[in-house]
């Protein structure tokens, strides 16, 4: 080892999921939306004047913040935007979890939370989901340096309701609580209406799922001005211009088209209900989903076997080789046509086992 | 103060320069390129299929890395890309400056370096430029945990040559050295050709200046595979998808159009030479620039006075109220037409003082 190498950070490479190169694949492994973004987004991109790219964007993405504020009836100063909700959460970890006590999150949840803790040297403690894979709010009634909770949770897809969230907030008034609402538009309860009641709560959402903009990288945080100001200060100490000029325009157009969002989510919810029923008929336990994916386990056929067989048939779903959930599968809701093909393949696999 | 606020990070808000709303302004304060991006970039944006935005980008931006590697005759595994060179530098600070010894950089340089040190708790020591505002390589011959040096330096615009850089690398083989080449295409010496000789050096460049893509946020690092791998691991622990799908396409198109880059830089260099001569004739000391800006001070008229008067005439240049340089001005090179207007206004200010 050369002597300079001692100054390189020792870090376990976190390997993100690969995008398949084969375009014949039915891709139900990344919770992407099967429908294109709003026609307003497509217009905004078409009308964008590329010559503007020579100049820096507005560093506070004011146009986008203003659209989000109007949409959610909040103030611009209560909105933060970043380069995907992953960046927003990373910056929020740096801004809000500055405590010597451990932060709390579920044992089964978004796998990036412990990665950020490791990157930023934040101590954490995982709280086990109950035997039905539900979050039990009473378990979060302990000393902590902050809480992050996705609602609905991933990869289980199950959400908490208003009374649960209020109970969580009431019992943790000395901590900052981040609610990660990446999948909330598919039928879960959003805490945005509680933000003016609880000043220690921030809600993070993404444009990658319900708004079909995973390729554009837009995420947002909403909460009280003091937290948002600290988020801005951390962002401006990391990269003054996280949002490019096109993302600002495209995001603004997406927010403006509320009807399209609702229609798309309704279609996905309908497909989810139909798929749930079909899978139950084939002997699956299907957890009640409020997201754009299903979390399932089969009565007799091992998850890994179903996963591998579908993969060899060019259908990608998600298998996690992790404690407690290594016999489960996460299936993104695609179009009705995609789900019909999936169900046919699963039916063959299950009947042959 | 509510009890949860103790967990908020104490951070001095770093306030980025504002983009003026008035479009009549001649904007020579942010080192933006006065010319639009390459026609290839404009085509790439026009041909981008917005429906693809529903899917995540390739997390390693392989297409863009491949174009950069080909252009600089390096391997793809020697290339890293990020959301503007600011993000690339931020991630490089986290990846490469993991030492208990202080890192070194000039006292007069890019103002973001100490901000990143503060954000990531990195100890640093500034090395004074000499009395002519030049970097003296011998001053960097001391124990350190790493070095970051812009070449050419900002806001002075002056660069170092091959022999200086090799001397720096020879005397610091136990540290990682980052060379920030944001302005290199405007006539300075690039260390890329030295990367295979010195494995502890990385070069960072940006698409924001010579490539007229400040609004798109693309930066890159080049260096040996071990450092690049650590940068990837840190990036993937922060945000797996820092580059959006459009940035990948647009950046690839920009790299491919080498002729346009050369032509644009030549135009700016010619305008710089003409402007330098004119300013000298008006009693300015003009530092020899290898960048797209001039660093100047007038024999008799205070810098702040010139700055304020130009501002009231809707011409924005940059004044730094900092030790050693508070009687200096930084002027971005615009079009010939913009510089003619600037020179006329400066001539009036100087002759009336």
């Amino acid at each position: 080892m050369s002597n300079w190498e001692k100054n390189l950070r020792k870090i376990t490479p976190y390997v993100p999921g690969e995008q398949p190169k084969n375009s014949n694949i039915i891709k139900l492994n990344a919770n992407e939306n099967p429908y294109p973004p709003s026609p307003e987004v497509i217009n905004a991109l078409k009308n964008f004047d590329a010559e503007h790219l020579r100049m820096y964007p507005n560093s506070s993405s004011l146009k986008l913040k203003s659209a989000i504020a109007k949409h959610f009836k909040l103030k611009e100063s209560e909105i933060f935007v970043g380069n995907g909700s992953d960046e927003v959460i990373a910056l929020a970890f740096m801004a809000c979890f500055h405590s010597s006590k451990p932060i709390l999150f579920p044992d089964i949840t978004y796998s990036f939370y412990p990665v950020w803790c490791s990157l930023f040297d934040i101590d954490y403690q995982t709280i086990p989901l109950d035997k039905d894979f539900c979050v039990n709010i009473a378990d979060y009634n302990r000393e902590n340096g902050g809480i992050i909770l996705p609602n609905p949770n991933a990869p289980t897809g199950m959400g908490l309701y208003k009374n649960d969230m209020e109970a969580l907030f009431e019992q943790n008034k000395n901590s900052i609580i981040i609610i990660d609402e990446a999948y909330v538009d598919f039928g879960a309860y959003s805490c945005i209406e509680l933000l003016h009641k609880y000043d220690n709560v921030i809600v993070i959402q993404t444009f990658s799922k319900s708004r079909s903009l995973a390729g554009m990288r837009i995420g947002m945080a909403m909460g009280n001005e003091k937290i948002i100001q600290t988020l801005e200060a951390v962002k401006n100490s990391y990269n003054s211009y996280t949002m490019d000029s096109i993302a600002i325009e495209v995001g603004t157009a997406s927010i403006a088209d509320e009807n399209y969002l609702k229609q798309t989510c309704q279609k996905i919810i309908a497909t989810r209900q139909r798929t749930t029923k079909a899978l139950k008929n084939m002997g699956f336990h299907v957890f009640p989903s409020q997201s754009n994916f299903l979390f399932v386990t089969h009565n007799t056929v091992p998850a890994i076997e179903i996963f591998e067989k579908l993969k060899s048939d060019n259908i990608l779903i998600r298998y996690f080789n992790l404690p407690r959930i290594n016999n489960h599968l996460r299936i993104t809701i695609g179009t009705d046509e995609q789900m019909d093909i999936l169900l046919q393949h699963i039916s063959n696999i299950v009947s042959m086992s």
Side-chain angles (χ1 to χ4, degrees), chain A residues 109 111 155 295 318-323 325-330:
Chain A
T109 192
S111 57
F295 194 57
R318 193 75 187 265
Y319 171 73
F320 300 91
N321 192 8
L322 291 173
I325 58 170
N326 62 2
N327 196 29
H328 292 69
L329 297 164
R330 194 195 70 185

Side-chain angles (χ1 to χ4, degrees), chain A residues 39-49 216 246-247 249-250 253:
Chain A
E40 296 297 324
V41 162
I42 293 170
N43 273 337
L45 187 57
K46 198 177 290 173
N47 295 330
F48 185 85
D49 181 357
M216 197 72 251
I246 298 177
E249 291 301 322
V250 154

Side-chain angles (χ1 to χ4, degrees), chain A residues 170 285 300:
Chain A
E170 287 292 342
H285 177 68
T300 56

Side-chain angles (χ1 to χ4, degrees), chain A residues 17-34 314-318 330-335 338-339:
Chain A
E18 269 309 283
Q19 290 285 36
K21 276 161 192 153
N22 182 347
S23 58
N24 290 327
I25 275 176
I26 296 184
K27 194 167 175 298
L28 305 172
N29 67 335
N31 295 343
E32 288 155 329
N33 199 310
N314 279 336
I315 300 174
L316 288 187
I317 62 171
R318 193 75 187 265
R330 194 195 70 185
I331 304 170
T332 302
I333 302 298
T335 61
Q338 289 176 319
M339 300 323 272

Side-chain angles (χ1 to χ4, degrees), chain A residues 44-267:
Chain A
L45 187 57
K46 198 177 290 173
N47 295 330
F48 185 85
D49 181 357
E51 298 211 358
H52 282 160
L53 291 175
R54 73 173 186 85
M55 293 177 74
Y56 283 94
N58 173 281
S59 71
S60 56
S61 307
L62 211 59
K63 184 173 178 178
L64 178 55
K65 277 186 194 164
S66 168
I68 296 169
K70 196 176 155 201
H71 178 68
F72 288 111
K73 298 185 175 58
L74 294 167
K75 287 186 281 185
E76 283 166 18
S77 53
E78 294 170 319
I79 312 290
F80 177 82
V81 292
N83 185 30
S85 66
D86 278 351
E87 170 162 85
V88 176
I89 300 173
L91 295 168
F93 270 49
M94 273 197 271
C96 304
F97 294 157
H98 209 66
S99 162
S100 56
K101 295 175 199 157
I103 68 160
L104 310 179
F105 49 81
D107 63 337
I108 298 168
T109 192
Y110 188 28
S111 57
F112 227 124
Y113 299 154
V115 176
W116 285 310
C117 286
S118 160
L119 185 66
F120 302 128
D121 287 321
I122 297 167
D123 193 18
Y124 70 92
Q125 193 182 346
T126 58
I127 307 293
L129 297 181
D130 71 15
K131 65 174 178 32
D132 301 318
F133 290 155
C134 292
V135 171
N136 182 4
I137 290 299
D139 297 339
Y140 291 77
N141 195 0
R142 62 179 78 192
E143 272 231 299
N144 64 73
I147 295 170
I148 182 158
L149 200 64
N151 193 42
N153 194 14
T156 62
M158 294 184 287
L160 295 166
Y161 295 93
K162 185 174 182 176
N163 57 329
D164 302 309
M165 301 313 278
E166 291 221 60
L168 177 73
F169 302 159
E170 287 292 342
Q171 80 194 15
N172 286 288
K173 290 201 160 172
N174 294 331
S175 301
I176 300 175
I177 305 172
I178 301 177
I179 305 299
D180 179 356
E181 296 190 349
Y183 299 101
V184 78
D185 291 330
F186 299 105
Y189 171 73
S190 171
C191 290
I192 291 177
E193 63 165 2
L194 299 177
L195 289 174
H196 285 170
K197 188 166 175 190
Y198 299 96
D199 62 2
N200 58 326
V201 174
I202 62 170
V203 166
I204 292 179
Q205 292 192 358
T206 177
F207 283 56
S208 300
K209 312 295 184 185
S210 58
R211 295 184 181 277
S212 306
L213 284 171
M216 197 72 251
R217 319 305 306 125
I218 311 174
M220 55 182 162
M222 290 158 281
N224 101 57
E225 291 172 335
K226 268 190 194 161
I227 301 181
I228 296 297
Q229 268 168 27
T230 306
L231 258 172
E232 281 294 332
V234 170
K235 185 272 266 180
N236 284 330
S237 298
Y238 173 80
N239 183 2
S240 312
Y241 306 94
T242 56
M243 301 293 288
D244 67 62
S245 301
I246 298 177
I248 294 170
E249 291 301 322
V250 154
T252 304
S254 170
I255 283 285
D257 196 353
E258 180 66 7
N259 271 343
Y260 185 84
L261 173 77
K262 281 190 180 153
Q263 284 164 19
T264 308
C265 290
Q266 280 310 321
K267 276 202 277 188

